[in-house]
Amino acid sequence: ISYFFKKAFPENSKWRMLNLFAIFPMIFDLMENRGIATMIHSYPEQNYSAAYFASISNQLKWSFETIAILLILIGMAGAIINRNKKIK
């Protein structure tokens, strides 16, 4: 995200702060892993709260990952547009 946003938007653009968005999928992935580890640790008992926590974390991770991929595509489009402007 940072690479493309650097090429797509001016240095003082608020769009460039969205590169920090990629941290959220990582955080939710770690939370999901913690929930899974808790379930494994409590085996053979069923830990429904850990399963629920891991499931919600997984859904949030992929939701934020989808947004991050869209941000990459926006950055790529902006970089291509800026490159074409410089060529002309």
Side-chain angles (χ1 to χ4, degrees):
I1 295 173
S2 297
Y3 176 79
F4 291 116
F5 275 30
K6 185 176 181 181
K7 294 188 174 293
F9 302 109
E11 190 171 326
N12 58 352
S13 173
K14 293 187 181 200
W15 278 91
R16 290 184 66 175
M17 291 300 294
L18 288 174
N19 65 351
L20 299 174
F21 196 84
I23 293 172
F24 292 111
M26 179 191 72
I27 290 169
F28 288 117
D29 184 52
L30 292 172
M31 291 170 59
E32 177 190 12
N33 292 344
R34 180 63 184 157
I36 292 169
T38 301
M39 285 188 292
I40 291 170
H41 182 70
S42 64
Y43 183 80
E45 294 177 19
Q46 293 182 349
N47 190 335
Y48 293 107
S49 59
Y52 181 76
F53 179 77
S55 177
I56 294 296
S57 297
N58 178 274
Q59 292 171 20
L60 288 169
K61 174 184 73 174
W62 285 108
S63 297
F64 280 96
E65 189 65 41
T66 301
I67 295 168
I69 290 169
L70 290 174
L71 288 173
I72 291 170
L73 295 174
I74 290 168
M76 289 173 73
I80 290 169
I81 290 169
N82 278 347
R83 191 185 87 204
N84 289 340
K85 284 181 183 177
K86 288 179 184 177
I87 291 174
K88 293 181 180 181

